Structures are given as C-alpha cells and as structure tokens.
Amino acid sequence: MQNKQRVVILGTGGTIAGRSAQAGDNVGYTAGQIGVDALVAAVPALAGEALEAQQVAQLDSKDMDHATWLLLAQHLAYQLARPEVQGVVITHGTDTLEETAYFLHRLLAPPKPVVLTAAMRPATALLADGPQNLLDAVRVARCAGARGVVTVLNGQVLAAEDVRKVHSYRVEAFSAGDAGPLAVMEEGRLRLFRDWPQGQALGLAWLPSDVARWPRVEVLLSHAGASGGLVEALVAQGVRGIVVAGTGNGTVHRDMQAALQRAQLAGVRVLRSSRCVNGAVVGDGLLDSAGALPPVKARIELMLQLMAPSAA
Ligand code: ASP
C-alpha cells in the first residue's frame, strides 16, 4: 500500500539546481538555476509518491543570508506542524549546508525528520550526484522514528551538529568528524548506527523579523603573525560577538588574544573555537570555549545566545 503521508521538498538553490553551458563541466556552472519541481521530476523513482515541492529561495548558498534563513525556518515550522506531513527535505547548496542545518536544528529541534540535501556537481554534469542524493533524502524523510535535522549526501546521513564540508570539489565532500555518520543509505534502506538527533527547540517567536536587528557576530582566524587590528576594527564598528578560530586546541596569537580580552572587557562576547578540522576545544582558557562547535556554527550559537536568553 502506498504511503499517503506527505514529504514536502523545499527548494533553496545550490549546485543541485545548477546548470553549466557545457554538459560535463563540473565546476564552471551557475548554481540555483533549476526549479525544485524539475529536480523532483528528474528522479523517476519518486514518480507517484505523495510529495509536495515548494521553492523558498533560489540562490548559491555561498550567498546565504539571515533573511533567507528566517524565511526558510518559517516555512519549515509551518510544514512540520501539518499532521499529514511526515518529513521535510530541503535542497540546498553545499557551501553553507552545515550552517543552515545547525541553525534550523537549534531553532526547531524537530520531532519529524528534516533532511538537507545538496550536490557537488551541477544537474547538467555527466555524472550528477543530485538525483541520487534527493532520492536518498526522501527515503530518510520516510523512515519511521526519524527526527531532527540531518544532511544526506553520498549515501551518508550526518547530524546537523556534526556535519562539515571537508573537500572543495569531490563528491565525498562531507564528514561528521569524530562523531561519524548517524546512518548510511544502502540501496534505499537505512542502516542506523545511533539515535536520531534530539535537542531543546528555541522556537521562532522571539526572533526579530527584521534581520537588521540580529546581533552582528563575526569570525576571525588566528595565525602566525596575527595582530589585534581586526578585533579593534570590529569593536569600533559595534560588533556584538566575535568567534576566534584558534590554532590547535583553541589557542590564540598573544597579540590577538590581548585585543580579544580588551573586547570582552568592553562587553563583546567572545568564543574561542579551533581552526582544526577535527576535535573539540578541551579545557579552560581566558576566553570562553565553543567546545566541539566549529567556528561557523559557534558564530550561529553566539548570535542565538545574544538574541534568545534561553539559548545560553
Ligand atoms: N556554491 C554552491 C552552493 O553552495 C556549491 C554547491 O552547492 O555545491 O550553492
């Protein structure tokens, strides 16, 4: 008997919806060109399924912005509240996939599956990865017991908290680091290794609808020869939070460290994370730790904490 529960597919653009002038060009293409209806129609195995597709945005995710995040979160909350909706798939670009996934999970920690999928190659590539990823994403959204925000690419299901883009062009571009994948998709079947992500939803009600009112939080990188100049410039511009991508275990060049401590005294929230691809910041330091969050997710966390007191 066919499953009458619906899976809603929200399109936002990305390479999965990308088109190049020459078939087979894997890098010289324009992202965010093909509508989400056409992406679904290109997967014959999805024909006849109870799906609804809606275009929420059409952009290259390198240009993702807070206004689009807010719009997406509102659409998502609406769809998740519909009893007939089993789960939601979001087609997205790979460049900021991990940021959008983390943002949505912190806000909604959904009791239904929200599956972000993407592609490393445009839809016009000789061997496009998008159709298989989209099919796998719908299969994950249909899994009994699935919940939380996850990503599905290249046969791997990764939790929003863990996922990171770790390669610039290969199809196997994502990793969950030390945590490892939550599950793998094997010929349309899910092999689950651990529990689905849970969490405390912050909700949407308190989020200012004018994104210009969201606090400005920036990421800086510590490196050989780093100075405090950029910190001072940001403080002068009224920044509310700074995440420093430190060396190793969240250590920071002494000149930048001194400037960050001065910023802290001036009321700017500072978090130290690591520029290393794997591992967490362990132990105490003079600046608050971002723990296992990489710099870009720590930026979101700090921004949410500055807006929602319950997030702290
Ligand atoms: N720049 C593209 C994007 O993030 C890359 C991709 O989707 O693979 O939208």
Side-chain angles (χ1 to χ4, degrees):
M1 199 180 75
Q2 231 208 334
N3 194 336
K4 288 279 180 281
Q5 280 242 290
R6 284 159 191 282
V7 169
V8 175
I9 305 180
L10 301 178
T12 71
T15 293
I16 193 168
R19 197 184 268 135
S20 61
Q22 274 180 336
D25 189 343
N26 287 338
V27 288
Y29 61 86
T30 310
Q33 299 294 301
I34 299 172
V36 65
D37 283 322
L39 298 184
V40 175
V43 184
L46 291 177
E49 284 217 25
L51 302 174
E52 286 176 27
Q54 197 185 354
Q55 197 77 47
V56 174
Q58 187 63 291
L59 46 72
D60 185 323
S61 84
K62 76 177 176 61
D63 299 323
M64 184 52 73
D65 53 50
H66 295 165
T68 307
W69 271 356
L70 180 62
L71 185 69
L72 182 59
Q74 287 166 338
H75 275 277
L76 183 56
Y78 169 78
Q79 296 297 349
L80 291 169
R82 292 171 62 202
E84 67 274 29
V85 170
Q86 185 173 11
V88 177
V89 169
I90 299 173
T91 59
H92 198 283
T94 61
D95 287 346
T96 55
L97 186 79
E98 68 216 63
E99 295 177 57
T100 301
Y102 186 77
F103 177 76
L104 295 175
H105 191 74
R106 285 292 277 136
L107 287 185
L108 300 171
K112 295 179 184 180
V114 172
V115 188
L116 275 77
T117 195
M120 289 300 289
R121 295 177 180 160
T124 47
L126 289 181
L127 215 59
D129 50 334
Q132 181 68 55
N133 287 345
L134 182 55
L135 178 61
D136 284 347
V138 173
R139 295 285 176 263
V140 171
R142 288 238 180 261
C143 281
R147 55 168 296 147
V149 180
V150 298
T151 65
V152 172
L153 287 103
N154 199 37
Q156 291 195 317
V157 185
L158 310 180
E161 269 197 24
D162 306 323
V163 60
R164 283 182 86 162
K165 187 173 183 181
V166 295
H167 201 280
S168 56
Y169 63 83
R170 283 193 197 140
V171 168
E172 60 274 25
F174 286 85
S175 165
D178 296 337
L182 198 67
V184 287
M185 283 302 285
E186 296 173 330
E187 295 298 309
R189 285 178 164 273
L190 187 91
R191 183 148 62 99
L192 190 64
F193 301 132
R194 53 197 170 89
D195 281 350
W196 293 97
Q198 307 231 5
Q200 198 68 40
L202 297 172
L204 292 180
W206 51 272
L207 258 183
S209 54
D210 175 6
V211 294
R213 289 177 46 218
W214 292 19
R216 182 170 171 207
V217 180
E218 297 282 351
V219 178
L220 293 179
L221 187 84
S222 186
H223 52 83
S227 75
L230 289 176
V231 176
E232 281 153 14
L234 285 175
V235 173
Q237 287 176 28
V239 76
R240 297 275 313 282
I242 298 175
V243 174
V244 58
T247 39
N249 188 25
T251 50
V252 180
H253 188 289
R254 62 182 169 220
D255 294 348
M256 187 179 252
Q257 168 88 22
L260 287 168
Q261 285 174 249
R262 287 196 296 276
Q264 246 184 187
L265 284 175
V268 176
R269 284 281 310 276
V270 178
L271 277 184
R272 68 192 171 94
S273 59
S274 175
R275 66 183 210 184
C276 294
V277 175
N278 283 311
V281 171
V282 181
D284 293 332
L286 292 169
L287 304 167
D288 287 343
S289 165
L293 291 178
V296 292
K297 289 183 192 174
R299 189 195 79 85
I300 295 166
E301 185 61 38
L302 189 48
M303 191 172 66
L304 295 177
Q305 287 185 12
L306 285 163
M307 281 191 283
S310 62

